[in-house]
Amino acid sequence: MKLENEHWPNDQRVQENEIQAEILEEKSVTAALSAVAPNKLFGWKSSLMELVRATVYVDRFRSNARPENRNKRRVGAVTSAEIDDALKNLVRISQKESFPQEIADLTRKREVRESSKITRLYPELLDCIMCVGGRLRHAEISSSCKHPYIIDHRHPLAKLIVVYYHQKHLHAGQQLVISAMRERFWITSVRNLVRSVLHECVPCFRVRPQVQQQLMADLPPERVTPCLPFQRVGVDYCGPFMIRYPQRRAQPIKCFVAIYICLVTKAVHLELAADLSTQGFLTTFKRFVARRGKPQIVMCDNAKNFVGARREIAELHNLVRSKDFQTSVVRSSAEERIEFKFIPARSPNFGGLWESAVKFFKTLLKRSVGVRMLLYDEMRTMIVQIEAVLNSRPLTPLSNDPDDFEALTPRHFLIQRPLTALPEPDLDGVPENRLSTWQRIEQLMQRIWQKWSTQYLSDLHNRTKWTKRKDNIAVGTMVVLKQDNLPPLKWPLARVTEIHPGADGNIRVVTVRTKDGSYRRAISKICILPIRENLSPATPASAEED
């Protein structure tokens, strides 16, 4: 390890150096490490260099304090020889703390015991430092490569050496760091140690941050409670798509597609939207209600057009209630409010049902149309056809008969039913010859719902991902906030200020504060920084030798 000459700074803190002198007089590197800038371990400047320079200062302090050296006091720039001597002193102290028995055996000209974990290295003492004996004595390489210093991976000095080489080689990976270190140091169980250092390196983490995960939550009541189709819906937009009107020389215009999906039956309703404005969404919503009936619950993300729609619907509701309407029908309809539920912003995994529908729609449209630009009427026709395909997707087989190829699909729930169906008695088990025509239809619908309850619903038990429970994030944790439109190095830093546990106690949503304000985000959009205040105490590395 070549350490560059540096001029000793003029503003050295005398008190800190005196503390270092006392510590090193006690021959305790472990205590010295706790006094040398412990908070800078993973900064741009390695704490190994601070410890080495402090050791050089202590060596000078000792030398200058001797009576025979008072007339030749050492001052000025730190030399390479001084740095090399200081590093050797640190290695000697660390070996005395980690391998006292091995050093005692070698000092008595004995071989180390078979029970020693470094016996396979065939260690030997060179300049009072325990080095690797090995089998490269006759190789044409430098002496430090033939006989690297042995360092215990559990000693604090080992971690400082790894951090130094990792930073010196521009945050290199595991194999390069190990190869560079072994030109002078042989650290036991080095792979585990290097892996932990790389895991805790903030600059490396900022390049490839890892988002948080938690056990997949239970399905909400809106997904597993039977209801009429489109009584509970999720809605999302996809696009933009370019279309044009049939007029001569008409310019292409943008359009969007609003996708409404029933949370219970997965039935899909598609509407063409002119833009992403609140008025544009309300227009599609009115057409949806006219054709499918008024929903009770609408779930969507926090897009501004949806938030505005909720506000305008509430204002319309208050306006209607304030008038003295004469008919009970109008009054009762005004009483029926539509509840909007919003998932956390920029958290598509909370709306996986409609995100999946968006993906299927884009796939079918791309394969059918390609790059061709459609006319307005052609686009409307294509949307209706894709809607029919999506509503024909199988949910579960209707029977266990291998010759029966019919499957339960969303279309089974959309036909033979008026928009406001009346409750009917249970007709299951009643002989068919005793049923009227309408009752036969109703019996068929009841069997379809029974299939939904006994087969399709049971298929939702499985968690397709996020199958393990993880430790919950805590208030005060420093994180990186993932931004989809920015590279990782530009993702802002944030601190968790509030947690929002789910019904099972697991935390999947938190409130974070950045320099621009506070936001509610899913944990899939945050990355916990590997800094000391965030990390739990590390478990000791394996004692296996490399």
Side-chain angles (χ1 to χ4, degrees):
M1 177 172 63
K2 295 182 179 179
L3 306 177
E4 297 82 359
N5 290 349
E6 297 185 11
H7 291 283
W8 193 256
N10 296 325
D11 58 345
Q12 283 291 334
R13 292 173 291 180
V14 177
Q15 183 177 3
E16 179 180 304
N17 291 327
E18 289 178 352
I19 293 174
Q20 283 296 326
E22 295 176 1
I23 291 172
L24 290 175
E25 282 288 349
E26 297 174 0
K27 301 291 190 295
S28 175
V29 176
T30 304
L33 292 175
S34 63
V36 179
N39 293 328
K40 296 181 180 179
L41 180 59
F42 298 108
W44 292 105
K45 194 173 185 182
S46 172
S47 292
L48 177 65
M49 288 303 304
E50 296 181 9
L51 184 59
V52 170
R53 285 194 294 270
T55 306
V56 171
Y57 176 84
V58 172
D59 290 342
R60 284 187 177 182
F61 182 84
R62 291 175 178 171
S63 177
N64 294 338
R66 294 172 183 168
E68 63 270 20
N69 293 334
R70 289 179 180 177
N71 296 328
K72 47 182 179 178
R73 300 172 65 88
R74 289 190 291 176
V75 294
V78 178
T79 64
S80 297
E82 288 179 313
I83 290 179
D84 191 60
D85 290 341
L87 185 62
K88 288 181 178 180
N89 287 336
L90 292 174
V91 173
R92 291 189 188 99
I93 295 172
S94 72
Q95 290 182 346
K96 288 180 181 179
E97 295 180 31
S98 302
F99 305 107
Q101 184 61 52
E102 288 81 352
I103 292 178
D105 291 338
L106 293 175
T107 303
R108 297 186 183 95
K109 307 298 182 181
R110 302 173 182 171
E111 293 185 358
V112 296
R113 302 179 181 182
E114 288 291 332
S115 59
S116 174
K117 61 183 179 182
I118 60 173
T119 183
R120 289 185 295 173
L121 299 178
Y122 201 75
E124 57 185 50
L125 286 180
L126 298 176
D127 194 17
C128 297
I129 299 177
M130 190 165 57
C131 304
V132 175
R135 305 168 61 193
L136 303 180
R137 192 180 309 275
H138 303 294
E140 295 182 358
I141 54 178
S142 65
S143 177
S144 61
C145 291
K146 293 179 184 179
H147 307 289
Y149 303 147
I150 300 175
I151 306 290
D152 188 0
H153 67 278
R154 293 169 295 189
H155 197 278
L157 183 63
K159 190 168 188 177
L160 290 184
I161 292 173
V162 174
V163 172
Y164 173 82
Y165 276 96
H166 175 58
Q167 295 177 352
K168 177 184 177 182
H169 290 83
L170 305 179
H171 295 269
Q174 174 178 302
Q175 194 58 44
L176 179 56
V177 172
I178 293 175
S179 299
M181 283 192 304
R182 282 184 171 171
E183 293 181 1
R184 190 160 191 181
F185 300 98
W186 188 281
I187 300 177
T188 61
S189 298
V190 67
R191 298 188 187 280
N192 292 333
L193 179 60
V194 173
R195 192 180 299 115
S196 69
V197 168
L198 267 60
H199 176 72
E200 298 172 8
C201 179
V202 173
C204 292
F205 178 83
R206 292 297 302 271
V207 175
R208 299 183 65 182
Q210 299 292 322
V211 298
Q212 294 300 295
Q213 295 181 355
Q214 185 51 277
L215 178 72
M216 184 177 288
D218 297 335
L219 291 171
E222 293 85 359
R223 288 285 310 278
V224 295
T225 306
C227 69
L228 299 178
F230 294 110
Q231 202 167 18
R232 308 186 195 110
V233 298
V235 59
D236 200 3
Y237 268 61
C238 65
F241 307 104
M242 302 303 297
I243 62 173
R244 60 184 178 87
Y245 287 96
Q247 290 87 355
R248 189 176 181 182
R249 296 182 180 178
Q251 295 296 321
I253 61 172
K254 287 183 181 180
C255 71
F256 299 84
V257 175
I259 298 182
Y260 296 85
I261 183 167
C262 177
L263 300 180
V264 177
T265 66
K266 287 190 176 181
V268 174
H269 178 91
L270 305 178
E271 286 289 345
L272 194 62
D275 51 41
L276 290 177
S277 65
T278 298
Q279 288 297 332
F281 168 69
L282 285 174
T283 301
T284 69
F285 189 68
K286 290 176 182 178
R287 295 199 299 265
F288 164 74
V289 171
R291 295 172 57 192
R292 301 297 187 183
K294 184 176 69 66
Q296 293 179 351
I297 297 175
V298 179
M299 298 187 67
C300 52
D301 62 20
N302 265 310
K304 292 183 178 180
N305 51 342
F306 296 137
V307 175
R310 180 182 65 169
R311 182 174 59 250
E312 292 202 8
I313 288 177
E315 292 174 356
L316 178 61
H317 167 77
N318 294 331
L319 176 64
V320 172
R321 291 195 61 181
S322 66
K323 300 294 182 178
D324 185 17
F325 290 103
Q326 299 298 316
T327 63
S328 60
V329 175
V330 175
R331 282 199 302 268
S332 61
S333 63
E335 294 293 337
E336 296 175 1
R337 302 187 62 176
I338 298 174
E339 181 184 0
F340 273 76
K341 291 187 176 182
F342 296 104
I343 65 174
R346 300 177 181 177
S347 306
N349 56 295
F350 279 71
L353 202 61
W354 54 85
E355 293 291 343
S356 176
V358 168
K359 178 182 177 181
F360 277 116
F361 173 80
K362 289 182 177 179
T363 300
L364 294 175
L365 183 65
K366 183 177 180 181
R367 291 178 179 177
S368 303
V369 178
V371 297
R372 187 167 65 91
M373 186 180 300
L374 299 178
L375 297 177
Y376 175 75
D377 287 340
E378 292 175 334
M379 187 64 170
R380 290 182 60 190
T381 304
M382 182 58 64
I383 287 176
V384 174
Q385 290 177 336
I386 293 178
E387 177 184 300
V389 173
L390 293 178
N391 287 333
S392 299
R393 291 178 297 167
L395 299 178
T396 186
L398 280 178
S399 71
N400 295 324
D401 185 356
D403 296 326
D404 185 2
F405 298 103
E406 188 177 0
L408 180 65
T409 68
R411 291 183 65 87
H412 285 86
F413 301 96
L414 298 179
I415 60 176
Q416 301 296 333
R417 183 194 65 83
L419 290 178
T420 54
L422 297 175
E424 293 286 340
D426 186 6
L427 301 176
D428 189 27
V430 179
E432 189 172 335
N433 58 358
R434 293 175 52 188
L435 299 176
S436 65
T437 303
W438 169 251
Q439 287 177 326
R440 291 194 191 99
I441 297 175
E442 186 62 28
Q443 186 186 57
L444 176 61
M445 289 302 301
Q446 290 179 1
R447 288 177 179 173
I448 288 175
W449 275 110
Q450 186 180 14
K451 288 292 183 181
W452 180 88
S453 300
T454 59
Q455 295 187 20
Y456 168 70
L457 199 61
S458 62
D459 289 342
L460 299 180
H461 269 300
N462 295 331
R463 289 178 165 91
T464 57
K465 58 180 178 178
W466 306 328
T467 57
K468 295 183 179 179
R469 193 183 308 275
K470 302 295 181 67
D471 292 336
N472 282 328
I473 191 170
V475 173
T477 304
M478 285 293 298
V479 300
V480 178
L481 190 59
K482 183 178 180 180
Q483 301 287 345
D484 294 332
N485 55 345
L486 292 175
L489 288 176
K490 293 187 178 181
W491 291 352
L493 294 175
R495 187 178 292 275
V496 176
T497 58
E498 190 177 354
I499 57 177
H500 309 283
D504 56 359
N506 292 322
I507 297 171
R508 300 177 181 87
V509 181
V510 297
T511 298
V512 295
R513 187 182 72 250
T514 69
K515 62 182 181 64
D516 298 321
S518 296
Y519 309 95
R520 180 176 288 199
R521 291 289 186 269
I523 62 171
S524 59
K525 292 295 181 181
I526 63 174
C527 313
I528 297 180
L529 280 173
I531 57 178
R532 291 185 174 183
E533 62 180 282
N534 289 347
L535 296 176
S536 58
T539 56
S542 170
E544 296 179 2
E545 297 300 325
D546 289 290

